mmCIF file of all heavy atoms in Angstrom:
data_model
loop_
_atom_site.group_PDB
_atom_site.id
_atom_site.type_symbol
_atom_site.label_atom_id
_atom_site.label_comp_id
_atom_site.label_asym_id
_atom_site.label_seq_id
_atom_site.Cartn_x
_atom_site.Cartn_y
_atom_site.Cartn_z
ATOM 1 N N ILE J 314 -14.459 -5.233 9.671
ATOM 2 C CA ILE J 314 -14.825 -4.301 8.558
ATOM 3 C C ILE J 314 -15.517 -5.048 7.405
ATOM 4 O O ILE J 314 -16.534 -4.649 6.817
ATOM 5 C CB ILE J 314 -13.566 -3.661 8.047
ATOM 6 C CG1 ILE J 314 -13.001 -2.754 9.121
ATOM 7 C CG2 ILE J 314 -13.847 -2.843 6.802
ATOM 8 C CD1 ILE J 314 -11.649 -2.158 8.762
ATOM 9 N N LEU J 315 -15.118 -6.319 7.105
ATOM 10 C CA LEU J 315 -15.627 -7.103 6.021
ATOM 11 C C LEU J 315 -17.106 -7.460 6.409
ATOM 12 O O LEU J 315 -17.976 -7.421 5.528
ATOM 13 C CB LEU J 315 -14.849 -8.340 5.847
ATOM 14 C CG LEU J 315 -15.426 -9.320 4.774
ATOM 15 C CD1 LEU J 315 -15.515 -8.644 3.409
ATOM 16 C CD2 LEU J 315 -14.432 -10.542 4.605
ATOM 17 N N SER J 316 -17.312 -7.831 7.619
ATOM 18 C CA SER J 316 -18.694 -8.133 8.146
ATOM 19 C C SER J 316 -19.637 -6.985 8.008
ATOM 20 O O SER J 316 -20.757 -7.122 7.539
ATOM 21 C CB SER J 316 -18.738 -8.673 9.517
ATOM 22 O OG SER J 316 -18.063 -9.904 9.718
ATOM 23 N N MET J 317 -19.078 -5.826 8.369
ATOM 24 C CA MET J 317 -19.906 -4.557 8.233
ATOM 25 C C MET J 317 -20.308 -4.264 6.766
ATOM 26 O O MET J 317 -21.422 -3.944 6.517
ATOM 27 C CB MET J 317 -19.101 -3.409 8.882
ATOM 28 C CG MET J 317 -19.962 -2.091 8.968
ATOM 29 S SD MET J 317 -18.821 -0.679 8.992
ATOM 30 C CE MET J 317 -18.287 -0.717 7.328
ATOM 31 N N PHE J 318 -19.319 -4.411 5.889
ATOM 32 C CA PHE J 318 -19.495 -4.170 4.498
ATOM 33 C C PHE J 318 -20.608 -5.135 3.990
ATOM 34 O O PHE J 318 -21.550 -4.697 3.199
ATOM 35 C CB PHE J 318 -18.218 -4.285 3.699
ATOM 36 C CG PHE J 318 -18.394 -4.451 2.200
ATOM 37 C CD1 PHE J 318 -18.695 -3.225 1.474
ATOM 38 C CD2 PHE J 318 -18.302 -5.646 1.583
ATOM 39 C CE1 PHE J 318 -18.897 -3.374 0.173
ATOM 40 C CE2 PHE J 318 -18.455 -5.737 0.217
ATOM 41 C CZ PHE J 318 -18.821 -4.558 -0.550
ATOM 42 N N GLU J 319 -20.483 -6.423 4.242
ATOM 43 C CA GLU J 319 -21.426 -7.393 3.802
ATOM 44 C C GLU J 319 -22.801 -7.209 4.306
ATOM 45 O O GLU J 319 -23.809 -7.284 3.592
ATOM 46 C CB GLU J 319 -20.906 -8.798 4.036
ATOM 47 C CG GLU J 319 -19.642 -9.096 3.275
ATOM 48 C CD GLU J 319 -19.004 -10.515 3.596
ATOM 49 O OE1 GLU J 319 -19.257 -10.888 4.785
ATOM 50 O OE2 GLU J 319 -18.221 -11.013 2.880
ATOM 51 N N ARG J 320 -22.880 -6.804 5.582
ATOM 52 C CA ARG J 320 -24.226 -6.510 6.159
ATOM 53 C C ARG J 320 -24.837 -5.212 5.499
ATOM 54 O O ARG J 320 -26.033 -5.165 5.199
ATOM 55 C CB ARG J 320 -24.098 -6.294 7.675
ATOM 56 C CG ARG J 320 -23.893 -7.552 8.451
ATOM 57 C CD ARG J 320 -24.217 -7.381 9.903
ATOM 58 N NE ARG J 320 -23.436 -6.323 10.520
ATOM 59 C CZ ARG J 320 -22.163 -6.461 10.972
ATOM 60 N NH1 ARG J 320 -21.614 -7.715 11.017
ATOM 61 N NH2 ARG J 320 -21.485 -5.423 11.571
ATOM 62 N N SER J 321 -23.991 -4.222 5.287
ATOM 63 C CA SER J 321 -24.494 -3.000 4.728
ATOM 64 C C SER J 321 -24.983 -3.265 3.265
ATOM 65 O O SER J 321 -25.890 -2.612 2.790
ATOM 66 C CB SER J 321 -23.363 -1.943 4.796
ATOM 67 O OG SER J 321 -22.359 -2.269 3.948
ATOM 68 N N LEU J 322 -24.284 -4.226 2.549
ATOM 69 C CA LEU J 322 -24.738 -4.491 1.194
ATOM 70 C C LEU J 322 -26.145 -5.081 1.130
ATOM 71 O O LEU J 322 -26.896 -4.757 0.230
ATOM 72 C CB LEU J 322 -23.673 -5.458 0.526
ATOM 73 C CG LEU J 322 -23.932 -5.897 -0.963
ATOM 74 C CD1 LEU J 322 -23.968 -4.619 -1.796
ATOM 75 C CD2 LEU J 322 -22.790 -6.822 -1.376
ATOM 76 N N VAL J 323 -26.415 -5.926 2.098
ATOM 77 C CA VAL J 323 -27.790 -6.501 2.190
ATOM 78 C C VAL J 323 -28.826 -5.420 2.357
ATOM 79 O O VAL J 323 -29.873 -5.426 1.775
ATOM 80 C CB VAL J 323 -27.847 -7.543 3.329
ATOM 81 C CG1 VAL J 323 -29.268 -8.059 3.463
ATOM 82 C CG2 VAL J 323 -26.911 -8.713 3.034
ATOM 83 N N ASN J 324 -28.466 -4.471 3.193
ATOM 84 C CA ASN J 324 -29.450 -3.395 3.610
ATOM 85 C C ASN J 324 -29.313 -2.148 2.850
ATOM 86 O O ASN J 324 -30.137 -1.193 3.062
ATOM 87 C CB ASN J 324 -29.270 -3.120 5.124
ATOM 88 C CG ASN J 324 -29.427 -4.372 6.001
ATOM 89 O OD1 ASN J 324 -30.397 -5.116 5.768
ATOM 90 N ND2 ASN J 324 -28.563 -4.532 6.918
ATOM 91 N N GLU J 325 -28.476 -2.042 1.876
ATOM 92 C CA GLU J 325 -28.319 -0.751 1.070
ATOM 93 C C GLU J 325 -29.563 -0.419 0.271
ATOM 94 O O GLU J 325 -30.102 -1.271 -0.362
ATOM 95 C CB GLU J 325 -27.051 -0.936 0.141
ATOM 96 C CG GLU J 325 -26.518 0.307 -0.302
ATOM 97 C CD GLU J 325 -27.180 0.860 -1.554
ATOM 98 O OE1 GLU J 325 -27.908 0.145 -2.139
ATOM 99 O OE2 GLU J 325 -27.014 2.170 -1.756
#
Side-chain angles (χ1 to χ4, degrees):
I314 294 173
L315 179 57
S316 292
M317 186 204 71
F318 167 75
E319 290 172 339
R320 288 195 304 270
S321 66
L322 180 56
V323 173
N324 301 316
E325 199 277 341

